[in-house]
């Protein structure tokens, strides 16, 4: 294993070279936000790299009420329609790199983003996705982006749980450094260790991390891998849904879903999950 200082030094050299090339590129931060979480991430990114920034706005805004928003979104999905949005003022043709931000709804980017993507051709553009979510969705939204804009170059993205917005500013800064958008000391993490069956101690970490999060109450950790991160440890749990009680013996229950749950323990604080990949 290479010493951490050697890894940081090598990555930092690559970052400085990448940052120099980025300075010659035109960058736009474009986002849709409903609860202001995604807006906060967008503003943080734009401030760090001195980029232009613009918000995507729906002609008929979604209600701030969670249930009303979900009900409307479900109906639109069933009908196969996307909401109308106000014209984006930025001339997309002038930009080389676009940071595209959105909340995750139903496992992918929110409908106003879909509406914008239907109206533009991002061929040859570098797209950096960033998102906010309840439990996860960055990976699935990236797949949707790749399908919608196959000729764009989708770069590594950033996602953060709404429950972890306090950690966002530091994470965004490190993300920008690690990916060559900002000068600084990049940190290249070692790969996860080989996975093994979860011990009682590791199961306790998993249970503490998911807490009372509603969508995770039926999950049970099976295997786990780990790696060192600055000031702590990151765990990668593979979990499945616990069997549910079948109210009707004639009704066939769907098989348990498998998921990956990322958990961090930093500075000996309580465990917290950072994302779920289903």
């Amino acid at each position: 294993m290479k010493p951490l200082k050697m890894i940081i030094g090598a990555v930092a050299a690559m970052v400085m070279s990448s940052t120099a090339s980025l300075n010659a590129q035109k960058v736009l931060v474009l986002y849709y936000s409903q609860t202001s979480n995604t807006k906060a991430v967008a503003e943080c990114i734009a401030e760090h790299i001195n980029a232009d920034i613009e918000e995507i706005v729906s002609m008929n805004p979604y209600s701030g009420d969670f249930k009303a928003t979900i009900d409307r979104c479900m109906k639109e999905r069933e009908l196969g329609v996307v909401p109308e949005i106000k014209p984006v003022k930025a001339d997309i043709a002038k930009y080389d790199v676009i940071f595209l931000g959105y909340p995750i709804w139903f496992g992918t980017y929110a409908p106003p983003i879909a509406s914008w993507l239907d109206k533009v051709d991002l061929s040859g553009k570098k797209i950096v996705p960033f998102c906010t979510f309840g439990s996860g969705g960055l990976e699935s939204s990236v797949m949707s982006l790749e399908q919608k804009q196959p000729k764009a170059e989708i770069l590594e993205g950033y996602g953060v749980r709404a429950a972890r917005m306090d950690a966002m500013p530091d994470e965004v800064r490190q993300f920008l450094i690690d990916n060559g958008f900002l000068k600084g000391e990049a940190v290249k993490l070692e790969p996860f260790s080989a996975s093994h069956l979860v011990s009682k101690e590791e199961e306790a970490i998993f249970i503490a991390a998911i807490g009372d999060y509603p969508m995770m109450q039926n999950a049970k950790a099976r295997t786990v891998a780990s790696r060192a991160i600055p000031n702590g440890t990151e765990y990668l749990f593979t979990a499945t849904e616990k069997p549910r009680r079948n109210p009707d013996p004639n009704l066939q229950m769907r098989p348990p879903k498998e998921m990956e749950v990322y958990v961090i323990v930093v500075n000996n604080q309580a465990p917290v999950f950072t994302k779920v990949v289903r």
Side-chain angles (χ1 to χ4, degrees):
M1 182 183 297
K2 294 182 179 179
L4 182 58
K5 288 185 178 179
M6 292 179 61
I7 295 174
I8 292 176
V11 175
M14 291 186 292
V15 168
M16 291 179 66
S17 174
S18 299
T19 304
S21 62
L22 179 67
N23 290 337
Q25 296 180 316
K26 189 74 171 173
V27 183
L28 172 68
V29 177
L30 184 65
Y31 70 96
Y32 169 76
S33 185
Q34 184 186 7
T35 65
S36 295
N37 283 340
T38 307
K39 178 181 180 180
V41 181
E43 291 176 341
C44 186
I45 293 172
E47 181 178 356
H48 274 304
I49 61 177
N50 194 30
D52 295 338
I53 184 170
E54 184 173 350
E55 181 178 8
I56 291 175
V57 179
S58 295
M59 297 289 286
N60 178 22
Y62 288 86
S63 166
D65 177 78
F66 177 77
K67 185 179 184 305
T69 297
I70 294 303
D71 289 346
R72 173 181 163 185
C73 189
M74 287 183 64
K75 185 175 181 179
E76 289 174 340
R77 285 164 60 90
E78 292 171 357
L79 297 175
V81 300
V82 292
E84 288 296 321
I85 60 173
K86 295 182 179 180
V88 170
K89 296 178 182 179
D91 183 356
I92 301 302
K94 294 182 179 180
Y95 293 93
D96 306 292
V97 181
I98 300 172
F99 282 76
L100 184 62
Y102 44 83
I104 297 293
W105 295 357
F106 292 94
T108 190
Y109 42 72
I113 294 293
S115 181
W116 180 73
L117 290 171
D118 285 340
K119 295 175 171 63
V120 295
D121 180 4
L122 300 178
S123 298
K125 306 291 184 184
K126 290 181 172 63
I127 309 300
V128 184
F130 64 94
C131 60
T132 57
F133 46 73
S135 61
L138 173 62
E139 291 77 9
S140 53
S141 70
V142 167
M143 288 191 290
S144 297
L145 278 173
E146 291 172 340
Q147 294 171 356
K148 183 72 75 170
Q149 295 285 341
K151 295 183 180 180
E153 182 182 355
I154 312 298
L155 305 183
E156 182 176 347
Y158 169 76
V160 61
R161 289 181 59 210
R164 297 186 63 251
M165 287 298 292
D166 288 348
M168 180 274 294
D170 289 338
E171 289 186 351
V172 164
R173 181 178 180 278
Q174 194 62 52
F175 170 80
L176 294 172
I177 292 172
D178 292 345
N179 289 278
F181 297 108
L182 190 66
K183 290 182 180 180
E185 286 193 355
V187 176
K188 182 175 176 60
L189 299 177
E190 293 289 341
F192 281 99
S193 65
S195 61
H196 58 266
L197 293 177
V198 173
S199 67
K200 289 185 178 179
E201 292 78 8
E202 291 162 337
E203 183 179 27
I205 291 173
F206 179 81
I207 293 173
I210 62 176
D212 59 357
Y213 189 77
M215 301 298 291
M216 299 291 293
Q217 290 302 293
N218 216 39
K220 179 175 179 58
R222 300 295 182 184
T223 65
V224 64
S226 63
R227 65 181 176 186
I229 59 174
N231 303 316
T233 305
E234 182 177 23
Y235 298 89
L236 171 54
F237 289 93
T238 298
T240 55
E241 291 181 335
K242 298 176 186 176
R244 299 173 184 269
R245 179 178 296 179
N246 191 347
D248 183 353
N250 297 317
L251 180 65
Q252 184 176 1
M253 299 293 287
R254 60 180 174 81
K257 288 184 178 180
E258 188 173 275
M259 66 190 80
E260 293 180 337
V261 183
Y262 291 75
V263 172
I264 58 172
V265 180
V266 178
N267 293 328
N268 295 318
Q269 296 177 4
V272 58
F273 81 88
T274 58
K275 66 177 180 178
V276 178
V277 179
R278 291 182 172 85

